[in-house]
Amino acid sequence: MPTPSPAGVGAFPTGSGKKFALRLDARTIVAGAVVVAILTSDSDGLVVDFGSHVGWYSILAATLGHHVLAVDADPEHLRVLADNVAANDVRMKVTAV
């Protein structure tokens, strides 16, 4: 299971086969709101998520209609990302490398 970052953000599979749970701090919630505002202004773009970790922003962008290239150097992050992408039914929108 991934360890939360120092900022208090961590994505953890729920075990239910659906979605994933997040622990968020206020700074992350504000950043997420800004990203949502940007992504909803155009819903058919390409998003490149460098350091995608387990896919929080990748899945957010994909559910808003974007195609996503999720890039992470950690094979464990990519494994959890793939699980999260499948659980959120955005496989056709997200490519992980």
Side-chain angles (χ1 to χ4, degrees):
M1 181 176 300
T3 305
S5 73
V9 180
F12 306 94
T14 63
S16 67
K18 295 206 74 79
K19 311 290 181 191
F20 59 97
L22 289 170
R23 289 192 330 202
L24 302 172
D25 63 10
R27 187 174 47 193
T28 305
I29 292 169
V30 170
V34 170
V35 169
V36 167
I38 292 167
L39 292 175
T40 55
S41 67
D42 174 18
S43 65
D44 190 26
L46 171 65
V47 172
V48 180
D49 185 3
F50 288 104
S52 59
H53 194 244
V54 297
W56 193 85
Y57 289 108
S58 295
I59 291 168
L60 175 63
T63 58
L64 291 172
H66 297 275
H67 291 277
V68 179
L69 177 61
V71 181
D72 201 287
D74 188 320
E76 179 63 13
H77 290 172
L78 291 173
R79 186 195 65 72
V80 176
L81 170 70
D83 291 344
N84 288 333
V85 164
N88 286 275
D89 198 26
V90 290
R91 280 173 263 176
M92 299 303 292
K93 293 279 189 176
V94 178
T95 302
V97 294

